[in-house]
Amino acid sequence: AKGGSLVVHTSPRTPPDVSSVIARDIAPPHRAHLYAQGSNLYHALLAAADEIVVTSDSVSMVADAVAAGKPV
């Protein structure tokens, strides 16, 4: 096991009920950032990540993750 923490970042398309579940169920040391909270940390999180996990439903997000130069 490598250790580490998980940061979950929702998108403008994340349904409110899914965002609520994420906010409720992601517990420390892991963090959830809900897009609706205002600031968009997406690119900063990609830059700071050691590894990136992204869903395949957005070609743009997959391309961003690969372009970040981190293991995907």
Side-chain angles (χ1 to χ4, degrees):
K2 290 183 176 183
S5 59
L6 176 69
V7 178
V8 177
H9 191 297
T10 62
S11 80
R13 293 177 302 281
T14 305
D17 57 330
V18 173
S19 291
S20 295
V21 169
I22 289 170
R24 183 192 69 215
D25 291 350
I26 301 294
H30 311 296
R31 294 181 295 152
H33 179 78
L34 305 182
Y35 185 86
Q37 290 176 338
S39 64
N40 182 354
L41 301 177
Y42 175 66
H43 290 289
L45 292 172
L46 289 177
D50 294 320
E51 297 179 6
I52 300 170
V53 177
V54 61
T55 60
S56 63
D57 60 319
S58 171
V59 173
S60 177
M61 289 177 68
V62 172
D64 290 343
V66 171
K70 312 294 176 77
V72 177

PDB file of all heavy atoms in Angstrom, residues 33-65:
ATOM      1  N   HIS A  33     -14.369  18.219  -2.909  1.00  0.00           N
ATOM      2  CA  HIS A  33     -14.589  19.611  -3.296  1.00  0.00           C
ATOM      3  C   HIS A  33     -15.751  19.613  -4.272  1.00  0.00           C
ATOM      4  O   HIS A  33     -15.673  19.030  -5.352  1.00  0.00           O
ATOM      5  CB  HIS A  33     -13.355  20.221  -3.953  1.00  0.00           C
ATOM      6  CG  HIS A  33     -13.594  21.630  -4.375  1.00  0.00           C
ATOM      7  ND1 HIS A  33     -13.576  22.678  -3.483  1.00  0.00           N
ATOM      8  CD2 HIS A  33     -13.925  22.153  -5.573  1.00  0.00           C
ATOM      9  CE1 HIS A  33     -13.862  23.798  -4.135  1.00  0.00           C
ATOM     10  NE2 HIS A  33     -14.078  23.504  -5.400  1.00  0.00           N
ATOM     11  N   LEU A  34     -16.823  20.259  -3.878  1.00  0.00           N
ATOM     12  CA  LEU A  34     -18.010  20.310  -4.708  1.00  0.00           C
ATOM     13  C   LEU A  34     -17.949  21.549  -5.588  1.00  0.00           C
ATOM     14  O   LEU A  34     -17.763  22.661  -5.097  1.00  0.00           O
ATOM     15  CB  LEU A  34     -19.275  20.327  -3.851  1.00  0.00           C
ATOM     16  CG  LEU A  34     -19.387  19.175  -2.846  1.00  0.00           C
ATOM     17  CD1 LEU A  34     -20.686  19.265  -2.089  1.00  0.00           C
ATOM     18  CD2 LEU A  34     -19.220  17.836  -3.523  1.00  0.00           C
ATOM     19  N   TYR A  35     -18.095  21.344  -6.867  1.00  0.00           N
ATOM     20  CA  TYR A  35     -18.007  22.433  -7.834  1.00  0.00           C
ATOM     21  C   TYR A  35     -18.928  23.589  -7.462  1.00  0.00           C
ATOM     22  O   TYR A  35     -18.575  24.740  -7.611  1.00  0.00           O
ATOM     23  CB  TYR A  35     -18.330  21.914  -9.237  1.00  0.00           C
ATOM     24  CG  TYR A  35     -18.142  22.956 -10.307  1.00  0.00           C
ATOM     25  CD1 TYR A  35     -16.901  23.155 -10.889  1.00  0.00           C
ATOM     26  CD2 TYR A  35     -19.207  23.746 -10.726  1.00  0.00           C
ATOM     27  CE1 TYR A  35     -16.716  24.111 -11.865  1.00  0.00           C
ATOM     28  CE2 TYR A  35     -19.024  24.710 -11.704  1.00  0.00           C
ATOM     29  CZ  TYR A  35     -17.781  24.885 -12.269  1.00  0.00           C
ATOM     30  OH  TYR A  35     -17.597  25.834 -13.221  1.00  0.00           O
ATOM     31  N   ALA A  36     -20.087  23.287  -6.952  1.00  0.00           N
ATOM     32  CA  ALA A  36     -21.065  24.318  -6.612  1.00  0.00           C
ATOM     33  C   ALA A  36     -20.598  25.235  -5.485  1.00  0.00           C
ATOM     34  O   ALA A  36     -21.197  26.260  -5.241  1.00  0.00           O
ATOM     35  CB  ALA A  36     -22.389  23.672  -6.230  1.00  0.00           C
ATOM     36  N   GLN A  37     -19.510  24.886  -4.806  1.00  0.00           N
ATOM     37  CA  GLN A  37     -19.011  25.717  -3.714  1.00  0.00           C
ATOM     38  C   GLN A  37     -18.335  26.986  -4.219  1.00  0.00           C
ATOM     39  O   GLN A  37     -17.923  27.809  -3.437  1.00  0.00           O
ATOM     40  CB  GLN A  37     -18.019  24.927  -2.850  1.00  0.00           C
ATOM     41  CG  GLN A  37     -18.675  23.841  -2.041  1.00  0.00           C
ATOM     42  CD  GLN A  37     -17.673  23.005  -1.276  1.00  0.00           C
ATOM     43  OE1 GLN A  37     -16.493  22.951  -1.617  1.00  0.00           O
ATOM     44  NE2 GLN A  37     -18.142  22.348  -0.241  1.00  0.00           N
ATOM     45  N   GLY A  38     -18.210  27.140  -5.505  1.00  0.00           N
ATOM     46  CA  GLY A  38     -17.654  28.378  -6.032  1.00  0.00           C
ATOM     47  C   GLY A  38     -16.356  28.175  -6.770  1.00  0.00           C
ATOM     48  O   GLY A  38     -16.348  28.105  -7.984  1.00  0.00           O
ATOM     49  N   SER A  39     -15.257  28.093  -6.061  1.00  0.00           N
ATOM     50  CA  SER A  39     -13.962  28.011  -6.739  1.00  0.00           C
ATOM     51  C   SER A  39     -13.791  26.665  -7.433  1.00  0.00           C
ATOM     52  O   SER A  39     -14.227  25.637  -6.949  1.00  0.00           O
ATOM     53  CB  SER A  39     -12.833  28.239  -5.744  1.00  0.00           C
ATOM     54  OG  SER A  39     -12.812  27.221  -4.767  1.00  0.00           O
ATOM     55  N   ASN A  40     -13.141  26.711  -8.572  1.00  0.00           N
ATOM     56  CA  ASN A  40     -12.882  25.506  -9.343  1.00  0.00           C
ATOM     57  C   ASN A  40     -11.405  25.157  -9.192  1.00  0.00           C
ATOM     58  O   ASN A  40     -10.546  25.812  -9.772  1.00  0.00           O
ATOM     59  CB  ASN A  40     -13.247  25.746 -10.817  1.00  0.00           C
ATOM     60  CG  ASN A  40     -13.049  24.512 -11.660  1.00  0.00           C
ATOM     61  OD1 ASN A  40     -12.544  23.504 -11.200  1.00  0.00           O
ATOM     62  ND2 ASN A  40     -13.438  24.590 -12.910  1.00  0.00           N
ATOM     63  N   LEU A  41     -11.123  24.142  -8.398  1.00  0.00           N
ATOM     64  CA  LEU A  41      -9.747  23.730  -8.122  1.00  0.00           C
ATOM     65  C   LEU A  41      -9.240  22.662  -9.083  1.00  0.00           C
ATOM     66  O   LEU A  41      -8.149  22.129  -8.888  1.00  0.00           O
ATOM     67  CB  LEU A  41      -9.652  23.186  -6.691  1.00  0.00           C
ATOM     68  CG  LEU A  41     -10.048  24.138  -5.579  1.00  0.00           C
ATOM     69  CD1 LEU A  41      -9.965  23.431  -4.238  1.00  0.00           C
ATOM     70  CD2 LEU A  41      -9.175  25.362  -5.589  1.00  0.00           C
ATOM     71  N   TYR A  42      -9.993  22.371 -10.104  1.00  0.00           N
ATOM     72  CA  TYR A  42      -9.708  21.249 -11.006  1.00  0.00           C
ATOM     73  C   TYR A  42      -8.262  21.242 -11.505  1.00  0.00           C
ATOM     74  O   TYR A  42      -7.534  20.270 -11.318  1.00  0.00           O
ATOM     75  CB  TYR A  42     -10.701  21.280 -12.170  1.00  0.00           C
ATOM     76  CG  TYR A  42     -10.468  20.254 -13.237  1.00  0.00           C
ATOM     77  CD1 TYR A  42     -10.629  18.900 -12.966  1.00  0.00           C
ATOM     78  CD2 TYR A  42     -10.112  20.634 -14.524  1.00  0.00           C
ATOM     79  CE1 TYR A  42     -10.425  17.959 -13.959  1.00  0.00           C
ATOM     80  CE2 TYR A  42      -9.913  19.696 -15.510  1.00  0.00           C
ATOM     81  CZ  TYR A  42     -10.068  18.357 -15.225  1.00  0.00           C
ATOM     82  OH  TYR A  42      -9.862  17.430 -16.207  1.00  0.00           O
ATOM     83  N   HIS A  43      -7.807  22.322 -12.126  1.00  0.00           N
ATOM     84  CA  HIS A  43      -6.452  22.333 -12.699  1.00  0.00           C
ATOM     85  C   HIS A  43      -5.378  22.342 -11.614  1.00  0.00           C
ATOM     86  O   HIS A  43      -4.325  21.721 -11.775  1.00  0.00           O
ATOM     87  CB  HIS A  43      -6.293  23.500 -13.679  1.00  0.00           C
ATOM     88  CG  HIS A  43      -7.097  23.297 -14.925  1.00  0.00           C
ATOM     89  ND1 HIS A  43      -6.769  22.361 -15.880  1.00  0.00           N
ATOM     90  CD2 HIS A  43      -8.233  23.882 -15.347  1.00  0.00           C
ATOM     91  CE1 HIS A  43      -7.666  22.381 -16.846  1.00  0.00           C
ATOM     92  NE2 HIS A  43      -8.571  23.286 -16.550  1.00  0.00           N
ATOM     93  N   ALA A  44      -5.636  22.993 -10.518  1.00  0.00           N
ATOM     94  CA  ALA A  44      -4.681  22.984  -9.402  1.00  0.00           C
ATOM     95  C   ALA A  44      -4.547  21.583  -8.813  1.00  0.00           C
ATOM     96  O   ALA A  44      -3.445  21.149  -8.467  1.00  0.00           O
ATOM     97  CB  ALA A  44      -5.119  23.975  -8.325  1.00  0.00           C
ATOM     98  N   LEU A  45      -5.659  20.869  -8.716  1.00  0.00           N
ATOM     99  CA  LEU A  45      -5.609  19.502  -8.195  1.00  0.00           C
ATOM    100  C   LEU A  45      -4.862  18.575  -9.151  1.00  0.00           C
ATOM    101  O   LEU A  45      -4.087  17.714  -8.711  1.00  0.00           O
ATOM    102  CB  LEU A  45      -7.022  18.970  -7.928  1.00  0.00           C
ATOM    103  CG  LEU A  45      -7.770  19.651  -6.785  1.00  0.00           C
ATOM    104  CD1 LEU A  45      -9.219  19.184  -6.745  1.00  0.00           C
ATOM    105  CD2 LEU A  45      -7.086  19.400  -5.457  1.00  0.00           C
ATOM    106  N   LEU A  46      -5.061  18.743 -10.445  1.00  0.00           N
ATOM    107  CA  LEU A  46      -4.305  17.941 -11.409  1.00  0.00           C
ATOM    108  C   LEU A  46      -2.812  18.200 -11.266  1.00  0.00           C
ATOM    109  O   LEU A  46      -2.001  17.261 -11.279  1.00  0.00           O
ATOM    110  CB  LEU A  46      -4.741  18.260 -12.845  1.00  0.00           C
ATOM    111  CG  LEU A  46      -6.122  17.779 -13.280  1.00  0.00           C
ATOM    112  CD1 LEU A  46      -6.413  18.251 -14.703  1.00  0.00           C
ATOM    113  CD2 LEU A  46      -6.254  16.278 -13.173  1.00  0.00           C
ATOM    114  N   ALA A  47      -2.434  19.448 -11.110  1.00  0.00           N
ATOM    115  CA  ALA A  47      -1.017  19.797 -10.987  1.00  0.00           C
ATOM    116  C   ALA A  47      -0.405  19.249  -9.709  1.00  0.00           C
ATOM    117  O   ALA A  47       0.769  18.859  -9.694  1.00  0.00           O
ATOM    118  CB  ALA A  47      -0.851  21.318 -11.046  1.00  0.00           C
ATOM    119  N   ALA A  48      -1.168  19.191  -8.642  1.00  0.00           N
ATOM    120  CA  ALA A  48      -0.646  18.752  -7.343  1.00  0.00           C
ATOM    121  C   ALA A  48      -0.688  17.232  -7.151  1.00  0.00           C
ATOM    122  O   ALA A  48      -0.035  16.711  -6.253  1.00  0.00           O
ATOM    123  CB  ALA A  48      -1.445  19.421  -6.223  1.00  0.00           C
ATOM    124  N   ALA A  49      -1.418  16.535  -7.993  1.00  0.00           N
ATOM    125  CA  ALA A  49      -1.635  15.097  -7.805  1.00  0.00           C
ATOM    126  C   ALA A  49      -0.370  14.288  -8.079  1.00  0.00           C
ATOM    127  O   ALA A  49       0.442  14.638  -8.934  1.00  0.00           O
ATOM    128  CB  ALA A  49      -2.752  14.622  -8.728  1.00  0.00           C
ATOM    129  N   ASP A  50      -0.235  13.183  -7.346  1.00  0.00           N
ATOM    130  CA  ASP A  50       0.804  12.194  -7.641  1.00  0.00           C
ATOM    131  C   ASP A  50       0.303  11.205  -8.680  1.00  0.00           C
ATOM    132  O   ASP A  50       1.053  10.731  -9.517  1.00  0.00           O
ATOM    133  CB  ASP A  50       1.203  11.438  -6.371  1.00  0.00           C
ATOM    134  CG  ASP A  50       1.873  12.344  -5.364  1.00  0.00           C
ATOM    135  OD1 ASP A  50       2.673  13.210  -5.763  1.00  0.00           O
ATOM    136  OD2 ASP A  50       1.581  12.195  -4.163  1.00  0.00           O
ATOM    137  N   GLU A  51      -0.977  10.880  -8.584  1.00  0.00           N
ATOM    138  CA  GLU A  51      -1.649   9.980  -9.515  1.00  0.00           C
ATOM    139  C   GLU A  51      -3.053  10.516  -9.742  1.00  0.00           C
ATOM    140  O   GLU A  51      -3.617  11.170  -8.872  1.00  0.00           O
ATOM    141  CB  GLU A  51      -1.737   8.553  -8.954  1.00  0.00           C
ATOM    142  CG  GLU A  51      -0.389   7.912  -8.723  1.00  0.00           C
ATOM    143  CD  GLU A  51      -0.507   6.506  -8.142  1.00  0.00           C
ATOM    144  OE1 GLU A  51      -1.634   5.989  -8.019  1.00  0.00           O
ATOM    145  OE2 GLU A  51       0.533   5.950  -7.804  1.00  0.00           O
ATOM    146  N   ILE A  52      -3.639  10.217 -10.906  1.00  0.00           N
ATOM    147  CA  ILE A  52      -4.965  10.741 -11.235  1.00  0.00           C
ATOM    148  C   ILE A  52      -5.879   9.599 -11.656  1.00  0.00           C
ATOM    149  O   ILE A  52      -5.503   8.759 -12.471  1.00  0.00           O
ATOM    150  CB  ILE A  52      -4.872  11.786 -12.376  1.00  0.00           C
ATOM    151  CG1 ILE A  52      -3.971  12.949 -11.949  1.00  0.00           C
ATOM    152  CG2 ILE A  52      -6.262  12.278 -12.771  1.00  0.00           C
ATOM    153  CD1 ILE A  52      -3.627  13.894 -13.079  1.00  0.00           C
ATOM    154  N   VAL A  53      -7.081   9.598 -11.087  1.00  0.00           N
ATOM    155  CA  VAL A  53      -8.135   8.668 -11.489  1.00  0.00           C
ATOM    156  C   VAL A  53      -9.259   9.523 -12.055  1.00  0.00           C
ATOM    157  O   VAL A  53      -9.707  10.469 -11.403  1.00  0.00           O
ATOM    158  CB  VAL A  53      -8.643   7.842 -10.296  1.00  0.00           C
ATOM    159  CG1 VAL A  53      -9.786   6.929 -10.725  1.00  0.00           C
ATOM    160  CG2 VAL A  53      -7.505   7.044  -9.675  1.00  0.00           C
ATOM    161  N   VAL A  54      -9.698   9.213 -13.250  1.00  0.00           N
ATOM    162  CA  VAL A  54     -10.747   9.998 -13.899  1.00  0.00           C
ATOM    163  C   VAL A  54     -11.738   9.049 -14.567  1.00  0.00           C
ATOM    164  O   VAL A  54     -11.349   7.992 -15.060  1.00  0.00           O
ATOM    165  CB  VAL A  54     -10.132  10.998 -14.922  1.00  0.00           C
ATOM    166  CG1 VAL A  54      -9.384  10.287 -16.008  1.00  0.00           C
ATOM    167  CG2 VAL A  54     -11.164  11.927 -15.499  1.00  0.00           C
ATOM    168  N   THR A  55     -13.009   9.414 -14.556  1.00  0.00           N
ATOM    169  CA  THR A  55     -14.004   8.577 -15.210  1.00  0.00           C
ATOM    170  C   THR A  55     -13.883   8.719 -16.723  1.00  0.00           C
ATOM    171  O   THR A  55     -13.414   9.728 -17.232  1.00  0.00           O
ATOM    172  CB  THR A  55     -15.425   8.963 -14.766  1.00  0.00           C
ATOM    173  OG1 THR A  55     -15.675  10.322 -15.107  1.00  0.00           O
ATOM    174  CG2 THR A  55     -15.602   8.764 -13.266  1.00  0.00           C
ATOM    175  N   SER A  56     -14.304   7.703 -17.420  1.00  0.00           N
ATOM    176  CA  SER A  56     -14.159   7.682 -18.879  1.00  0.00           C
ATOM    177  C   SER A  56     -15.294   8.396 -19.608  1.00  0.00           C
ATOM    178  O   SER A  56     -15.279   8.464 -20.830  1.00  0.00           O
ATOM    179  CB  SER A  56     -14.067   6.238 -19.370  1.00  0.00           C
ATOM    180  OG  SER A  56     -15.269   5.552 -19.066  1.00  0.00           O
ATOM    181  N   ASP A  57     -16.252   8.955 -18.892  1.00  0.00           N
ATOM    182  CA  ASP A  57     -17.394   9.581 -19.565  1.00  0.00           C
ATOM    183  C   ASP A  57     -17.076  10.974 -20.102  1.00  0.00           C
ATOM    184  O   ASP A  57     -17.889  11.560 -20.793  1.00  0.00           O
ATOM    185  CB  ASP A  57     -18.617   9.628 -18.641  1.00  0.00           C
ATOM    186  CG  ASP A  57     -18.381  10.402 -17.365  1.00  0.00           C
ATOM    187  OD1 ASP A  57     -17.300  10.261 -16.786  1.00  0.00           O
ATOM    188  OD2 ASP A  57     -19.283  11.136 -16.939  1.00  0.00           O
ATOM    189  N   SER A  58     -15.876  11.483 -19.841  1.00  0.00           N
ATOM    190  CA  SER A  58     -15.495  12.795 -20.365  1.00  0.00           C
ATOM    191  C   SER A  58     -14.129  12.694 -21.035  1.00  0.00           C
ATOM    192  O   SER A  58     -13.102  12.573 -20.366  1.00  0.00           O
ATOM    193  CB  SER A  58     -15.442  13.839 -19.244  1.00  0.00           C
ATOM    194  OG  SER A  58     -14.875  15.043 -19.738  1.00  0.00           O
ATOM    195  N   VAL A  59     -14.125  12.738 -22.353  1.00  0.00           N
ATOM    196  CA  VAL A  59     -12.867  12.693 -23.104  1.00  0.00           C
ATOM    197  C   VAL A  59     -11.988  13.874 -22.712  1.00  0.00           C
ATOM    198  O   VAL A  59     -10.769  13.745 -22.581  1.00  0.00           O
ATOM    199  CB  VAL A  59     -13.141  12.677 -24.624  1.00  0.00           C
ATOM    200  CG1 VAL A  59     -11.853  12.805 -25.413  1.00  0.00           C
ATOM    201  CG2 VAL A  59     -13.890  11.413 -25.011  1.00  0.00           C
ATOM    202  N   SER A  60     -12.588  15.016 -22.474  1.00  0.00           N
ATOM    203  CA  SER A  60     -11.845  16.205 -22.085  1.00  0.00           C
ATOM    204  C   SER A  60     -11.113  15.998 -20.752  1.00  0.00           C
ATOM    205  O   SER A  60      -9.949  16.369 -20.607  1.00  0.00           O
ATOM    206  CB  SER A  60     -12.797  17.399 -21.984  1.00  0.00           C
ATOM    207  OG  SER A  60     -12.116  18.543 -21.547  1.00  0.00           O
ATOM    208  N   MET A  61     -11.799  15.408 -19.775  1.00  0.00           N
ATOM    209  CA  MET A  61     -11.166  15.169 -18.480  1.00  0.00           C
ATOM    210  C   MET A  61     -10.044  14.146 -18.595  1.00  0.00           C
ATOM    211  O   MET A  61      -9.003  14.286 -17.952  1.00  0.00           O
ATOM    212  CB  MET A  61     -12.206  14.724 -17.448  1.00  0.00           C
ATOM    213  CG  MET A  61     -13.136  15.840 -17.032  1.00  0.00           C
ATOM    214  SD  MET A  61     -14.421  15.298 -15.885  1.00  0.00           S
ATOM    215  CE  MET A  61     -13.454  14.948 -14.441  1.00  0.00           C
ATOM    216  N   VAL A  62     -10.229  13.127 -19.401  1.00  0.00           N
ATOM    217  CA  VAL A  62      -9.170  12.133 -19.618  1.00  0.00           C
ATOM    218  C   VAL A  62      -7.967  12.812 -20.275  1.00  0.00           C
ATOM    219  O   VAL A  62      -6.814  12.612 -19.859  1.00  0.00           O
ATOM    220  CB  VAL A  62      -9.673  10.951 -20.465  1.00  0.00           C
ATOM    221  CG1 VAL A  62      -8.534  10.028 -20.844  1.00  0.00           C
ATOM    222  CG2 VAL A  62     -10.763  10.175 -19.718  1.00  0.00           C
ATOM    223  N   ALA A  63      -8.218  13.657 -21.272  1.00  0.00           N
ATOM    224  CA  ALA A  63      -7.127  14.378 -21.944  1.00  0.00           C
ATOM    225  C   ALA A  63      -6.406  15.302 -20.973  1.00  0.00           C
ATOM    226  O   ALA A  63      -5.174  15.393 -20.988  1.00  0.00           O
ATOM    227  CB  ALA A  63      -7.673  15.155 -23.133  1.00  0.00           C
ATOM    228  N   ASP A  64      -7.145  16.005 -20.114  1.00  0.00           N
ATOM    229  CA  ASP A  64      -6.525  16.863 -19.106  1.00  0.00           C
ATOM    230  C   ASP A  64      -5.631  16.064 -18.168  1.00  0.00           C
ATOM    231  O   ASP A  64      -4.529  16.494 -17.825  1.00  0.00           O
ATOM    232  CB  ASP A  64      -7.589  17.598 -18.284  1.00  0.00           C
ATOM    233  CG  ASP A  64      -8.347  18.661 -19.040  1.00  0.00           C
ATOM    234  OD1 ASP A  64      -7.879  19.090 -20.120  1.00  0.00           O
ATOM    235  OD2 ASP A  64      -9.416  19.065 -18.551  1.00  0.00           O
ATOM    236  N   ALA A  65      -6.128  14.897 -17.741  1.00  0.00           N
ATOM    237  CA  ALA A  65      -5.351  14.058 -16.828  1.00  0.00           C
ATOM    238  C   ALA A  65      -4.075  13.575 -17.492  1.00  0.00           C
ATOM    239  O   ALA A  65      -2.989  13.625 -16.898  1.00  0.00           O
ATOM    240  CB  ALA A  65      -6.199  12.870 -16.369  1.00  0.00           C
TER     241      ALA A  65
END
